[in-house]
Amino acid sequence: MKNMLAAFVSRVLRHIVQKSAHRVLVASCNYSNDATFEIKKCDLYLLEEGPPVTTVLTRAEGLKYYRMMLTVRRMELKADQLYKQKFIRGFCHLCDGQEACCVGLEAGIKPSDHVITSYRAHGICYTRGISVRSILAELTGRRGGCAKGKGGSMHMYTENFYGGNGIVGAQGPLAEAFNMAALWKLPCVFICENNLYGMGTSNERAAASTDYYKRGSFIPGLKVDGMDVLCVREATKFAGDYCRSGKGPIVMELQTYRYKGHSMSDPGVSYRTREEIQDMRSKRDPITLLQDRMVNSKLTTVEELKEIGAEVRKEIDDAAQFATTDPEPHLEELGHHIYSSDPSFEVRGANPWIKFKSIS
């Protein structure tokens, strides 16, 4: 009888503990649906009013932005690793540190809007809808890449996304384009991702005026905190609404920072100190800023963000595995996809006796 009583008591206690643990778990997942945050006021040029200085972030939006920025960060770190392992060759410009720009821009525009960018574009490729798998495969020159392995780091494309571009400044012949956009009141947002350095030269040493948002002269401009995804989002919404209303073009300068060098051949520390980079990482990192906001406002927990981190890490590792094992394009495909919708035609190769067939 005593043994039976002891077993019964043990089962009851186990049941109570399990129910208590369940109640604690439910309580720990009592998230807020949204929160309001202050964001830095934008500097304005030829504008009477600018974007708001507060914004609402929902839990769903916050988790989406966090996952996207973390994916871009981990993707770029993996690209750095693959380059050093010689899976990626040629030019490769990484954007880790600038994740709030690409994610904030995408959050502030419509999928149907058209985006043209320069060569440091892996992050925008991802936010425009290209998968990590296709981006890394393009970097390694494989058939599964978004440009069939023929574009590499600087030439990735998808619907409503035209670029990068391997020639500095070629994405917008600025003097002519500014004039034409203003003259015809075109709905165009000109964006300068100001990461404070032009290759290995600081802004102050290269520009008599570092107020790039005023460079349009006769075009209104905004200077935006490019390390804050919410500030970028609200400024982009403002700029988009301004253009869509028929007022013409606008210039946005996103003040940001790149952690790596200009390209893979640049260590990035010969013209700036390691302390400067570490200071930006510790105080202004865009992912950490969003994480702290969300955790402190009960939009998420550290544990939930760790789970997202583990999922992102697996996605990146799987993509890298594909990017290093997928076949390279066949030589006869060299002339394919020159045009999107034309009948097939012959393309001369390196000499008159070699010809390739181009198909759409």
Side-chain angles (χ1 to χ4, degrees):
M1 177 66 75
K2 288 183 178 178
N3 289 339
M4 291 177 61
L5 180 61
F8 174 74
V9 171
S10 177
R11 286 198 300 273
V12 171
L13 289 174
R14 246 193 335 265
H15 179 68
I16 293 172
V17 169
Q18 288 172 351
K19 290 200 71 175
S20 298
H22 179 70
R23 284 197 297 270
V24 170
L25 178 62
V26 170
S28 68
C29 294
N30 186 23
Y31 300 116
S32 300
N33 290 325
D34 57 56
T36 301
F37 299 103
E38 292 184 359
I39 54 178
K40 185 177 179 181
K41 184 179 180 180
C42 296
D43 292 340
L44 309 180
Y45 176 67
L46 298 180
L47 290 167
E48 294 182 359
E49 60 179 359
V53 294
T54 62
T55 187
V56 174
L57 177 69
T58 67
R59 168 173 154 78
E61 289 171 340
L63 292 176
K64 178 182 178 181
Y65 301 160
Y66 180 82
R67 182 183 291 271
M68 292 178 77
M69 286 201 291
L70 191 61
T71 299
V72 173
R73 173 72 56 86
R74 293 263 171 84
M75 179 178 70
E76 294 295 69
L77 294 176
K78 181 60 70 173
D80 180 75
Q81 179 184 344
L82 293 174
Y83 196 98
K84 290 169 181 173
Q85 293 172 341
K86 297 189 176 181
F87 284 108
I88 299 173
R89 310 303 291 265
F91 293 106
C92 185
H93 303 85
L94 304 179
C95 67
D96 45 324
Q98 300 182 204
E99 296 86 356
C101 295
C102 57
V103 175
L105 285 170
E106 188 63 33
I109 62 176
K110 301 176 181 178
S112 58
D113 289 333
H114 300 272
V115 177
I116 305 171
T117 186
S118 59
Y119 49 81
R120 198 181 304 279
H122 302 165
I124 297 181
C125 292
Y126 174 71
T127 58
R128 280 270 89 184
I130 304 177
S131 68
V132 176
R133 180 181 168 112
S134 292
I135 292 171
L136 290 184
E138 188 59 40
L139 290 174
T140 57
R142 309 299 171 125
R143 298 177 72 182
C146 58
K148 311 299 181 185
K150 296 184 290 183
S153 176
M154 296 187 285
H155 304 284
M156 300 188 191
Y157 309 93
T158 190
E159 187 174 1
N160 299 329
F161 175 66
Y162 316 94
N165 196 302
I167 303 173
V168 177
Q171 71 276 16
L174 295 181
E176 187 177 338
F178 276 7
N179 178 68
M180 191 178 296
L183 190 64
W184 294 348
K185 292 192 178 299
L186 301 179
C188 183
V189 181
F190 294 96
I191 296 171
C192 168
E193 286 187 70
N194 179 9
N195 60 28
L196 307 186
Y197 292 91
M199 297 185 72
T201 306
S202 66
N203 288 350
E204 290 77 12
R205 292 177 56 208
S209 171
T210 57
D211 288 332
Y212 299 109
Y213 69 109
K214 298 179 181 179
R215 286 289 183 93
S217 182
F218 40 79
I219 299 176
L222 299 167
K223 182 189 283 187
V224 184
D225 182 357
M227 301 300 273
D228 181 354
V229 67
L230 300 183
C231 194
V232 176
R233 182 186 72 174
E234 295 307 311
T236 304
K237 286 180 179 178
F238 174 88
D241 291 342
Y242 180 94
C243 291
R244 294 183 217 280
S245 68
K247 297 177 181 177
I250 193 169
V251 176
M252 280 175 54
E253 176 187 344
L254 308 181
Q255 288 205 313
T256 184
Y257 196 82
R258 57 171 165 82
Y259 292 156
K260 295 287 197 317
H262 169 73
S263 63
M264 299 306 295
S265 62
D266 170 22
V269 292
S270 59
Y271 49 84
R272 58 183 182 177
T273 64
R274 296 182 187 274
E275 289 74 22
E276 176 186 307
I277 302 170
Q278 184 55 40
D279 189 59
M280 290 295 289
R281 283 184 179 273
S282 62
K283 296 178 181 177
R284 298 290 297 145
D285 184 80
I287 299 175
T288 304
L289 288 175
L290 179 62
Q291 173 183 304
D292 291 346
R293 276 174 163 167
M294 292 181 66
V295 171
N296 293 337
S297 301
K298 301 190 185 309
L299 294 176
T300 188
T301 61
V302 173
E303 290 73 24
E304 184 177 34
L305 296 182
K306 285 182 179 178
E307 290 178 7
I308 292 175
E311 293 168 3
V312 168
R313 186 177 289 108
K314 185 179 186 308
E315 179 188 3
I316 301 299
D317 289 342
D318 291 346
Q321 176 66 21
F322 173 77
T324 53
T325 57
D326 189 50
E328 295 180 350
H330 295 302
L331 182 61
E332 57 267 24
E333 298 175 13
L334 187 63
H336 289 188
H337 309 108
I338 294 177
Y339 297 103
S340 63
S341 59
D342 284 72
S344 59
F345 58 94
E346 287 189 336
V347 181
R348 198 185 78 182
N351 63 60
W353 299 278
I354 298 177
K355 292 187 177 181
F356 299 103
K357 191 173 184 179
S358 182
I359 60 174
S360 298

